């Protein structure tokens, strides 16, 4: 089975610019997650989708971050405007459905550098 | 949010067993224990998980204490490809979310 696809792999932008990341989960996986991983730290959950609805976005800085999963399949995470502290790896993960004990499958991530 | 405690780093000689400990004293009765590992420049990958009984798979074994307040991931023969950060995570089935700590960075010495 194909894994979780993410693009781009790397992105360098200047502060105050905008950027978007794309994720295509494993086919049939209803739940999709975006995580932020700052260098030297574990991943931090930003937002969780169940199909095309948001389950939890309590850790998402909504003044500058937004995410959508319009058709319940692929998803986009946007940052506008970017700050220096947004430099991190942005990971997308998916799992079959909520309320189960299935594990997550992660993509390879997008490494963002804000200069 | 992280509910587990792990050593920051460990070392092992190649082809020797490795025991990676994890404390989770506040675990609830329905929390599953999951282990993931993250190789350099990659996303985390699933290793193993369990609830109460010890578990084995092709990658590793998971030993869970009787009171479930701690667990140990066992790599039976460490290889250089096992060098990674290992995360012990409690799975909140109700919210279906993982909360990562800082993990244990495993160094394998040739």
């Amino acid at each position: 089975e194909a894994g979780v696809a993410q693009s781009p792999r790397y992105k360098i932008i200047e502060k105050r610019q905008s950027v978007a990341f794309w994720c295509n989960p494993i086919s049939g996986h209803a739940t999709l997650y975006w995580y932020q991983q700052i260098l030297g730290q574990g991943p931090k959950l930003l937002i969780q989708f169940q199909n095309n609805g948001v389950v939890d976005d309590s850790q998402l800085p909504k003044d500058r971050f937004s995410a959508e999963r319009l058709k319940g399949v692929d998803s986009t995470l946007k940052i506008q405007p970017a700050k220096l502290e947004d430099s991190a790896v942005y990971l997308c993960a998916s799992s079959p459905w909520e309320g189960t004990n299935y594990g997550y499958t992660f993509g390879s991530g997008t490494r963002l550098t804000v200069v | 949010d992280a509910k587990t405690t792990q050593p920051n780093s460990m070392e092992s000689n190649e082809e020797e067993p490795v025991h990676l400990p994890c404390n989770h004293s506040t675990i609830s009765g329905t929390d599953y224990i999951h282990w993931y590992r993250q190789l350099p420049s990659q996303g985390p990958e699933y290793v193993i998980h369990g609830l109460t009984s010890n578990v084995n798979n092709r990658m590793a074994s998971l030993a869970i204490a009787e009171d479930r307040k701690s667990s140990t991931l066992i790599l039976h023969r460490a290889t250089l490809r096992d060098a990674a950060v290992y995360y012990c995570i409690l799975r909140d089935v109700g919210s279906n979310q993982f909360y990562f700590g800082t993990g244990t960075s495993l160094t394998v010495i040739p």
Side-chain angles (χ1 to χ4, degrees):
Chain A
E1 108 187 312
V4 175
Q6 290 190 247
S7 67
R9 191 76 173 90
Y10 303 94
K11 190 74 176 179
I12 300 175
I13 62 171
E14 295 182 350
K15 59 183 180 183
R16 291 187 290 273
Q17 285 187 327
S18 63
V19 65
F21 314 125
W22 175 80
C23 171
N24 191 23
I26 291 176
S27 177
H29 279 196
T31 311
L32 184 148
Y33 312 81
W34 283 101
Y35 281 81
Q36 179 193 58
Q37 186 172 25
I38 293 172
L39 186 64
Q41 299 181 16
K44 169 190 165 186
L45 179 66
L46 291 176
I47 189 168
Q48 175 186 351
F49 290 95
Q50 180 73 11
N51 295 312
N52 61 348
V54 175
V55 174
D56 183 1
D57 62 357
S58 59
Q59 299 298 308
L60 188 72
K62 299 180 188 64
D63 58 335
R64 297 183 301 104
F65 287 64
S66 64
E68 60 184 14
R69 193 186 184 198
L70 293 176
K71 297 182 179 179
V73 181
D74 57 349
S75 176
T76 302
L77 176 69
K78 297 179 182 178
I79 307 175
Q80 182 180 10
K83 294 185 176 181
L84 296 176
E85 58 260 37
D86 298 332
S87 294
V89 175
Y90 291 85
L91 295 161
C92 179
S94 69
S95 69
W97 59 82
E98 191 175 85
T100 71
N101 191 41
Y102 286 93
Y104 289 16
T105 302
F106 282 83
S108 296
T110 296
R111 181 177 297 276
L112 174 67
T113 302
V114 182
V115 298
Chain B
D1 292 322
K3 309 170 188 176
T4 62
T5 303
Q6 300 176 252
N8 287 332
S9 62
M10 292 185 63
E11 287 185 351
S12 173
N13 292 320
E14 193 176 12
E15 298 191 3
E16 289 188 356
V18 183
H19 290 233
L20 298 167
C22 181
N23 288 319
H24 29 78
S25 58
T26 60
I27 191 170
S28 72
T30 55
D31 281 339
Y32 281 77
I33 302 159
H34 285 247
W35 283 81
Y36 278 70
R37 72 179 186 181
Q38 188 171 23
L39 302 172
S41 299
Q42 295 187 24
E45 66 173 344
Y46 169 82
V47 177
I48 199 167
H49 77 279
L51 182 62
T52 57
S53 304
N54 294 343
V55 183
N56 300 295
N57 66 22
R58 63 175 181 81
M59 291 181 68
S61 296
L62 176 60
I64 301 173
E66 192 169 342
D67 64 6
R68 301 211 323 125
K69 293 185 177 182
S70 65
S71 61
T72 301
L73 178 70
I74 302 166
L75 307 179
H76 296 286
R77 289 183 63 204
T79 69
L80 297 179
R81 289 177 295 178
D82 292 323
V85 177
Y86 287 79
Y87 296 98
C88 167
I89 307 160
L90 299 184
R91 176 67 174 265
D92 183 343
V93 177
S95 67
N96 205 30
Q97 293 174 358
F98 281 162
Y99 296 100
F100 287 80
T102 53
T104 296
S105 178
L106 175 66
T107 299
V108 180
I109 302 168

